[in-house]
Amino acid sequence: MRFIYILFIGFVIISCKENNTPVVEIISVQEMDDVLRAEAVQLIDVRTQQEFASNHIKNAKNIIYQGEDWEEQISKLDKEKPVYVYCQKGGRSAKCASLLQQAGFEKIYDLEGGISQWMIEEKEVVK
C-alpha cells in the first residue's frame, strides 16, 4: 500500500511539473491577424535589421535572433503576457520560441510560415 501511495505522489508531482511548462503554439496568419486587430501584443520580428527595414508587421519590435543584445532585449518584455514571434519562414522564430520558453515566458505564439506566408495571404506590412 505504501508503494502505491509513493507512486501516486510521484505521478502528481510529475503531472504538475509538466502542466507548468510553457508551450509554444503555432498560429496561422488569420489567427495572428485577428489577435493583432483585437489587442496590443508583444510582437517580435527576429529577422536581421535589413530584413526588418525592408518590411515587417505593424507594431513589431525587431529583436534579432542570435543578436548580441538578445538577452537584454527579451529581459525588457513582460514574461507573464503572451509574446508573438515571427521570422521570414518559421525556422528562426521556432528557435527563438524555444529560447523564450527557457527564459520563462508563459505564453508563446509562433507565426506559421513567417512573414512570407503573411504576405502570400496579402496581410498588411510596413515598408
Side-chain angles (χ1 to χ4, degrees):
M1 185 67 161
R2 186 173 181 203
F3 175 75
I4 292 173
Y5 179 74
I6 292 170
L7 188 62
F8 175 74
I9 296 298
F11 176 76
V12 169
I13 290 170
I14 290 171
S15 295
C16 290
K17 198 172 193 179
E18 288 178 357
N19 289 338
N20 289 334
T21 304
V23 176
V24 175
E25 186 176 334
I26 308 298
I27 61 172
S28 70
V29 166
Q30 190 57 54
E31 289 170 313
M32 174 84 88
D33 192 40
D34 291 345
V35 169
L36 296 178
R37 289 177 186 274
E39 59 188 281
V41 300
Q42 299 183 110
L43 178 61
I44 303 172
D45 182 323
V46 300
R47 300 175 302 152
T48 66
Q49 288 177 339
Q50 294 80 12
E51 290 171 304
F52 184 81
S54 70
N55 60 42
H56 59 274
I57 298 172
K58 185 178 178 181
N59 297 322
K61 180 174 175 75
N62 188 212
I63 302 178
I64 303 164
Y65 171 61
Q66 294 184 329
E68 293 176 10
D69 63 346
W70 167 262
E71 289 182 20
E72 178 186 341
Q73 292 296 320
I74 65 167
S75 72
K76 297 176 184 176
L77 301 173
D78 187 341
K79 292 181 180 184
E80 295 178 5
K81 291 184 180 177
V83 62
Y84 294 78
V85 297
Y86 72 92
C87 63
Q88 191 65 39
K89 294 184 179 178
R92 287 175 282 182
S93 61
K95 292 173 186 172
C96 289
S98 179
L99 294 174
L100 292 168
Q101 270 184 311
Q102 293 170 20
F105 283 81
E106 294 179 9
K107 295 180 183 176
I108 306 157
Y109 299 92
D110 186 2
L111 177 60
E112 182 176 26
I115 198 166
S116 294
Q117 188 62 38
W118 182 267
M119 292 174 66
I120 287 170
E121 297 188 29
E122 299 181 353
K123 301 298 180 181
E124 183 180 354
V125 294
V126 175
K127 293 185 179 190

